Amino acid sequence: MATTTPPVGSSAKPTVRELYDSMSYGPAPEGDTPVREWIARHDGTFGHYIGGQWVAGSDHFDVLEPATGKALARVAQGTAADVDAAVAAARAALPAWQALDDHARARWLYALARGIQKHARHFAVLETLDNGKPIRETRDIDIPLVARHFYHHAGWAQLLSSEFPGHHAYGVVGQVIPWNFPLLMLAWKVAPALAAGNTVVLKPAEYTPLTAIRFAELVHEIGLPAGVFNLVSGDGATGAAIVAHEDVDKIAFTGSTEVGRAIRVATAGTGKGLSLELGGKSPFIVFEDADLDSVVEGVVDAIWFNQGQVCCAGSRLLVQEGVAERLHAKLRERMERLRVGSPLDKSVDMGAIVAPVQLDRIRALCQQGIDEGATCWQPSWATPTEGWFHPPTLFTDVAPSASIAQVEIFGPVLVSMTFRTPEEAVALANNTPFGLAASVWSENINLALDIAPKLKSGVVWINSSNLFDAAAGFGGYRESGFGREGGREGMWEYLKPIKAHEAAPLPVIAAGATSLTEAPAGEASPGLPAIDRTPKLFIGGKQARPDSGYSLAVRSLSGRTVGEVGEGNRKDIRNAVEAANAAGAWAKLSGHQRAQILYYLAENLSARADEFAQRIVAMTGDPLAAGASEVDAAISRLFTYAAWADKHDGAVHDVPLRGVALAMHEPIGVVGVACPDPYPLLGFVSLVAPLMATGNRTVVIPSERFPLAATDFYSVLETSDVPAGVVNIVTGARDPLVRTLADHDDVGAVWYYGSQAGAAAVEKASAANLKRTWTEWTGREWLDPRAAEGREFLRRAVQVKNIWIPYGE
C-alpha cells in the first residue's frame, strides 16, 4: 500500500514507524544527593582505618571527579608510620581471628555481603562519581558482583577445614588494588583473604579510594573485630611501604606489569607469598561463520565497557578476511550510535576516563598508531568538553608488530587485524607477551573448543566477553601475572601448608658437608684402574658432552672420590631448553599414556634398585638400609604420579548464567628444576614426576653434591619410552645454572630447592618475563609422603584456564 508524506503544516500525527526511527534517549540522571551529603558530613576529608579506628593522617591529597574535573574529596596520604601501625594492628588481631571456628568467620563474611546489598545504590553512585564509569555498570555489574564475592567466600569460610585440610592462612596480607574496578577488586582480594583466616592491610588506588573508605565504614558498622581489616590510602609510595614491610606475610597486587615486576624483585628471597594480576592485550577472534550482529555487541562489551579501562578488554580484534569489511562496517555504524556523557546518566554507554594522565596516554598511543600507518576511525559526534572523555576508536590496517597492537592502551581503542586460517588466528592471538583473557566467536562449537586450549591466556570466553563470577577463577599466563582470584583456585592463593611453619628434618649430609672443590683428593685404589664411567649431560633424549669441556669430582662426606660429572654452562642450559620446547607433544598425550610411562619408569628403577641403593650409600655415607629406603620411596613416588596422571581433573564451575565455565588444568610448559642435596634420587624423582604427570617438560639440575643418582637415572629414562626432550639433565653448580633458567624467556616456571640467597636470585631474575617460581630453603622430609608428594605439587605443576561456554537460544 502506497504511503504519502503529510504536507508541511499538516496536523497529521507521525506514524509509529516514524516515531520508532526517530526515537532518541533523553537524559535520565541518577540522583547523587545522598552520596554528596555523605561526603559533606565528613567535611570532604577522609583518613585511614587502622585497628578499628579512624586515623586522620598527616597529609592529604585531592580526589577528582572524572566527569567534571572538580575536586570530590580529600584523602590522607599514607606514610611509613601509618603502614607500620596498620600492619601492627593486623598482626595483633591475627591470633583471635584465626582462633575463630569456620562458622564464625562465615558469619562475618555473610554480614559484609548483606551490608553491601543494603547499601548497594550508595556504593554504585559513589563508584560512578569517583571512577567515571556509567551508573548502569556500577549498579548492575560491579556492586552485585561485590556482594556475590562475599556470599561465595562466606561459603568457603564455612567449609575451610573440610575442603582445605592441612592448610591455614598466611597471616598478615598486604593488598594493593587498581582504579578501574575499585570496589570489585577490593572484594576479589579481601573476601578470600578473610575467609582463609588472614588479616588485611589494603591500599586502594589514589585516584579512586572512596568506595574502599565507605567499605571500611561498613566494616566498622557491622563490628568486624578491630585490626582484621585495615585501610591505608595513598599513592605508590604507600603501596611500596606495604610490599617492603617485613611483617607482611603475603602480597596481592593488581595493576600494571611494570609495577608487578618491581614487586616481584622487592619480595624476592623474603618468603612472602605473592599473587599478581597484571596487564593484558586480549584477542577477540572472529571466524567467518560467526553471527556478526552478536559479534558487534560482544565488541561493545569487550572494549567499550568501562571505557576500555579493563585489564582483560578485548582490545585486539582478529577477524577472518572474508568477513572483515562487513564487520568493520557494522562496527562503525554501532559506534556512531554509542552515547558518551555524564556517567550518572542511565542512558549513556561510556563515561569519563579516570584521570588526565590516562587520557593523555590514550591520545598519545592513538597518535602513535596513526604515525605508524594504521587507519583511525572515530564517530562524527563530539565528546563533552568538561571532564576527561575519549570517543570510541577503531584502528584498521594494523600491523601485528605495531605499538598499538602490542602495548596495553587501557582505553576505548580497538585495533583490528585479519587472518586466513585458524592456525594464523592462534599465532596472532599469542603474539604478545601477555596472556590474561581471550574471546572466540564461531557458530562451530568444535572449532571454538579446538582454538580455546591453544590460546595462551587464563580465561577464554566462547561467543561472549567480560564474564566474571566468584565461582570461576580469574588470572593470567606469562606477563599477565600468576595466581587466580575467585573460586577454589583463588582460595589457594591465601593458604599455605601447615608444615611450612616447621623446618623439616634433614639428613646428616646437610650438616658440615664440604663443597666439591674443597674436598681432598681420594686415595688411589690398589690394582688396575677402574674403567672410566664419567656421565654426560642428558639433553633431548641423548647423552651430551658439556660445552665447557670440564668435569667435576663427586666425593663422599669423607672426601673419597666416587665419580665425576660434566660441568654444565649457559650453552648447555640453552640447548636443554630448546630440546624441552621441541617436546611439546608430551602435553598432548592422554593422562593414561603418561601414566603408562611413569609406571614403566618405576618398573625399570625397581629392577636396578640394589645398584641405585649402593650408589646413594657411596655418595652419602648413609647405611645401606637408608639407601634402599630412598630407592623404595622413589619407586612409590613414581607410582603416585602415575596414579594421578589421569585423575588430576579440572572442574565445571557453577556460574549464574546459561552456560558453564570449564576450569581446565594445563601444563605450564618448560619448567626448570633445581633439586635439593638431601635424598639425591628421591628429591629428583619427587620434583620431576609431578611435572611429567601433568604434561610439562623439564630441565633439571640434580643435587650439586651428589648428582650421580640423577645421572644414573637417565639410563632408566632411555629405556622407559620417555620421549626425547621431556626430561633433560644438566649437572654442575646449582645456583649459576638455575639463574640461567630463571633468566630464560622460554622457561615458564622454576622450582628451586637450595639456599635463601639462591632463591632470592631466582625470584629476582624471574621478573623479566614474570615466570612462576616455587622456592624453598628450609628443607623437606622427602621420605614423608605427607610433605613430599600429592596435590600441592600437582597444583604447582599446572595453570588453570577457565573457558566460559554459554548455551541456549
Side-chain angles (χ1 to χ4, degrees), residues 607-628:
R608 297 171 57 187
D610 291 343
E611 173 192 340
F612 275 86
Q614 292 286 355
R615 176 70 88 177
I616 292 168
V617 170
M619 289 188 296
T620 65
D622 289 339
L624 181 59

Side-chain angles (χ1 to χ4, degrees), residues 262-287:
I263 292 174
R264 171 70 284 181
V265 171
T267 59
T270 64
K272 292 180 182 178
L274 179 63
S275 51
L276 300 173
E277 196 262 280
L278 308 175
K281 194 69 177 176
S282 301
F284 189 106
I285 306 170
V286 181
F287 289 96

Side-chain angles (χ1 to χ4, degrees), residues 253 255-265 274 276 278 767 770:
F253 172 77
S256 72
T257 296
E258 291 74 19
V259 175
R261 284 198 183 94
I263 292 174
R264 171 70 284 181
V265 171
L274 179 63
L276 300 173
L278 308 175
L770 288 167

Side-chain angles (χ1 to χ4, degrees), residues 84 114 118 147 280 340 352 454 545 644 730 780:
D84 287 343
R114 293 290 292 129
K118 286 190 291 186
V340 177
K454 298 176 181 177
R545 296 185 185 279
W644 272 116
V730 179
R780 285 181 182 246

Side-chain angles (χ1 to χ4, degrees), residues 549-774:
Y550 287 95
S551 296
L552 296 170
V554 180
R555 295 186 171 91
S556 67
L557 287 182
S558 65
R560 183 175 63 86
T561 300
V562 293
E564 291 184 336
V565 292
E567 183 177 8
N569 63 16
R570 294 178 63 90
K571 185 176 180 181
D572 298 313
I573 292 289
R574 183 198 69 187
N575 294 340
V577 172
E578 289 179 357
N581 270 305
W586 177 250
K588 299 176 183 178
L589 294 181
S590 68
H592 172 70
Q593 290 173 303
R594 291 196 293 268
Q596 297 305 297
I597 292 173
L598 286 163
Y599 281 128
Y600 198 14
L601 279 170
E603 176 185 332
N604 287 334
L605 177 59
S606 177
R608 297 171 57 187
D610 291 343
E611 173 192 340
F612 275 86
Q614 292 286 355
R615 176 70 88 177
I616 292 168
V617 170
M619 289 188 296
T620 65
D622 289 339
L624 181 59
S629 295
E630 181 173 343
V631 176
D632 288 344
I635 294 168
S636 175
R637 201 129 301 160
L638 288 166
F639 262 71
T640 293
Y641 290 111
W644 272 116
D646 61 354
K647 299 177 186 66
H648 189 230
D649 300 323
V652 179
H653 291 312
D654 182 15
V655 291
L657 86 163
R658 291 188 306 166
V660 294
L662 304 180
M664 296 177 58
H665 288 161
E666 293 192 337
I668 295 168
V670 177
V671 179
V673 179
C675 297
D677 283 332
Y679 303 110
L681 175 65
L682 182 58
F684 176 95
V685 169
S686 296
L687 297 175
V688 172
L691 290 164
M692 291 180 67
T694 49
N696 295 281
R697 294 89 70 199
T698 58
V699 177
V700 189
I701 303 163
S703 166
E704 180 178 351
R705 296 210 67 252
F706 307 120
L708 295 176
T711 56
D712 288 350
F713 191 78
Y714 69 57
S715 61
V716 178
L717 294 169
E718 289 176 313
T719 58
S720 301
D721 293 342
V722 178
V726 171
V727 179
N728 304 273
I729 301 172
V730 179
T731 53
R734 178 196 297 113
D735 287 358
L737 290 175
V738 78
R739 173 59 190 267
T740 302
L741 283 168
D743 282 331
H744 205 298
D745 285 343
D746 285 338
V747 174
V750 174
W751 292 7
Y752 174 88
Y753 287 76
S755 67
Q756 185 172 4
V762 165
E763 291 173 349
K764 287 179 181 177
S766 74
N769 72 340
L770 288 167
K771 59 174 62 68
R772 297 160 184 254
T773 59
W774 187 16

